C-alpha cells in the first residue's frame, strides 16, 4: 500500500496516440516533473517546457520507432533557457545507436544535443532517478523489440507498457504485478486481433484480462489508433466487467498517485 505521508506523484500523460498525431492527441510521452523522468519522446514532448522542475532530464525509450523518439529533435528548442544541464537518454543499445546514427544524421537533423548522453540499458539493471527506482523489462511481439518500465518510490509503483501484444498470461505479467497504476497501450478495439498480432499491438479485452491477473490498482489505456478518434470504438463498458478500474487516457491528463 502507498505511504499516505509521502508527497503525491504527478504523472502527466502528454501524448496518448500512436503512429502519428491527430487533432486531439500527440504521440507517446509521459512525464513525471518532480523526478525529471520522461517515458518515451513522441511528438507531445513540446508540452514538457512549462512543467520542468529539475536540472536533469532522464528519458526512457521503449524502442526507436519514430512515434516514440522523434521528439528528441524538438529538445533543442523546448529546453531553451529552462535550466536543464544534462539530458540522459536510456534505451536498448541497438535502439540508441539507431537514434544517434539516423535520427541525428546531418541530413535529417544537423544539430547535436551537446548536453545529452546516451546510456544503454543493462540486463537486470535498475536506475535511480531523484529517488525513483526505474526497472526495465522486455516486452514481446513488437517489430524490432520493445521494453516496458516499472517505477517505484515510497511504496508506490507505476508500470508503463506500450507497443506489445497483451494477454492474460503475458511474459511480463510478474513485472507489473500489484502496480498501483498500469499505463498500457490499447491500439485496437476488440475484433482486430489479427492486425494487432501482426503489428505487435494490443486489443482491449486482453489488456483488461492482464490487468485483472496482475492485480493492479488502476488501468489507464493509451497509445490509441490515430484514426479512431472517438473512445466509443473501444467498447470500454464491456471491458469494465472484466476490470472495473479502467479508463481512457487523454492528452493533458494528470494521474495522482
Amino acid at each position: 500500500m502507498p505511504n499516505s505521508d509521502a508527497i503525491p506523484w504527478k504523472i502527466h500523460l502528454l501524448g496518448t496516440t500512436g503512429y502519428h498525431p491527430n487533432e486531439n492527441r500527440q504521440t507517446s510521452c509521459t512525464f513525471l516533473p518532480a523526478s525529471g523522468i520522461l517515458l518515451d519522446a513522441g511528438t507531445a514532448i513540446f508540452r514538457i517546457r512549462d512543467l520542468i522542475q529539475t536540472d536533469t532530464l532522464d528519458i526512457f525509450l521503449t524502442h526507436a520507432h519514430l512515434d516514440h523518439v522523434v521528439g528528441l529533435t524538438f529538445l533543442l528548442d523546448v529546453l531553451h533557457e529552462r535550466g536543464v544541464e544534462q539530458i540522459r537518454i536510456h534505451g536498448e543499445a541497438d535502439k540508441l545507436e539507431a537514434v544517434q546514427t539516423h535520427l541525428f544524421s546531418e541530413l535529417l537533423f544537423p544539430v547535436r544535443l551537446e548536453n545529452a548522453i546516451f546510456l544503454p540499458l543493462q540486463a537486470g539493471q535498475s536506475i535511480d532517478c531523484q529517488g525513483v527506482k526505474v526497472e526495465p523489462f522486455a516486452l514481446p511481439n513488437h517489430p524490432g523489440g520493445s521494453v516496458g518500465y516499472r517505477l517505484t518510490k515510497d511504496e508506490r509503483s507505476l508500470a508503463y507498457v506500450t507497443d506489445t501484444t497483451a494477454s492474460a498470461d503475458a511474459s511480463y505479467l510478474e513485472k507489473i504485478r500489484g502496480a498501483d497504476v498500469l499505463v498500457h497501450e490499447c491500439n485496437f478495439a476488440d475484433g482486430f486481433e489479427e492486425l494487432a498480432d501482426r503489428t505487435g499491438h494490443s486489443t482491449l479485452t486482453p489488456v483488461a484480462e492482464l490487468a485483472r491477473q496482475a492485480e493492479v490498482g488502476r488501468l489507464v489505456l493509451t497509445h490509441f489508433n490515430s484514426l479512431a478518434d472517438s473512445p466509443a470504438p473501444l467498447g470500454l463498458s464491456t471491458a469494465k466487467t472484466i476490470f472495473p478500474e479502467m479508463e481512457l487516457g487523454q492528452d493533458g491528463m494528470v494521474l495522482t498517485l
Side-chain angles (χ1 to χ4, degrees):
M1 293 293 293
N3 181 352
S4 59
D5 295 327
I7 298 173
W9 284 15
K10 297 293 185 181
I11 302 161
H12 294 251
L13 302 185
L14 303 181
T16 57
T17 195
Y19 190 15
H20 62 81
N22 59 30
E23 296 294 340
N24 299 313
R25 300 179 188 274
Q26 297 288 325
T27 67
S28 296
C29 197
T30 296
F31 190 38
L32 285 72
S35 305
I37 295 174
L38 192 67
L39 301 170
D40 277 329
T43 58
I45 202 170
F46 70 91
R47 291 173 169 154
I48 73 171
R49 180 170 173 80
D50 294 330
L51 298 172
I52 293 169
Q53 299 178 19
T54 58
D55 61 4
T56 59
L57 191 63
D58 282 279
I59 303 175
F60 290 88
L61 302 177
T62 57
H63 60 306
H65 289 169
L66 286 175
D67 54 329
H68 294 256
V69 302
V70 69
L72 293 174
T73 64
F74 303 174
L75 290 176
L76 198 68
D77 176 59
V78 169
L79 298 183
H80 180 61
E81 296 184 341
R82 299 309 295 164
V84 175
E85 297 177 0
Q86 187 176 73
I87 306 165
R88 297 185 286 256
I89 303 171
H90 308 263
E92 294 181 298
D94 57 341
K95 312 303 192 299
L96 296 184
E97 181 180 0
V99 166
Q100 293 176 85
T101 301
H102 302 292
L103 188 65
F104 286 100
S105 164
E106 288 188 1
L107 297 179
L108 293 180
F109 192 79
V111 182
R112 290 283 172 174
L113 298 173
E114 293 184 358
N115 60 341
I117 58 174
F118 291 80
L119 300 171
L121 297 172
Q122 306 297 326
Q125 175 186 26
S126 66
I127 301 155
D128 184 271
C129 298
Q130 306 285 342
V132 177
K133 181 181 180 182
V134 183
E135 299 173 279
F137 53 89
L139 298 174
N141 199 37
H142 193 69
S146 184
V147 297
Y149 294 97
R150 183 172 182 134
L151 284 63
T152 306
K153 182 181 181 181
D154 298 328
E155 301 179 348
R156 292 169 291 179
S157 57
L158 163 72
Y160 177 78
V161 176
T162 185
D163 290 62
T164 191
T165 304
S167 64
D169 61 349
S171 61
Y172 55 95
L173 172 63
E174 294 304 321
K175 299 295 184 180
I176 66 173
R177 182 174 295 281
D180 295 294
V181 175
L182 169 61
V183 175
H184 199 294
E185 82 129 87
C186 191
N187 201 80
F188 296 108
D190 289 342
F192 291 88
E193 287 77 13
E194 187 278 332
L195 181 58
D197 188 65
R198 177 155 50 89
T199 60
H201 286 291
S202 298
T203 56
L204 180 58
T205 291
V207 177
E209 292 173 340
L210 172 64
R212 181 174 64 183
Q213 287 296 112
E215 301 177 297
V216 302
R218 179 182 180 189
L219 170 62
V220 180
L221 301 174
T222 188
H223 200 289
F224 305 114
N225 183 346
S226 302
L227 299 179
D229 203 19
S230 166
L234 283 180
L236 204 63
S237 59
T238 301
K240 279 190 172 185
T241 63
I242 300 170
F243 189 80
E245 298 301 319
M246 175 195 307
E247 60 192 302
L248 297 171
Q250 306 289 344
D251 282 24
M253 178 183 285
V254 181
L255 309 176
T256 300
L257 177 59

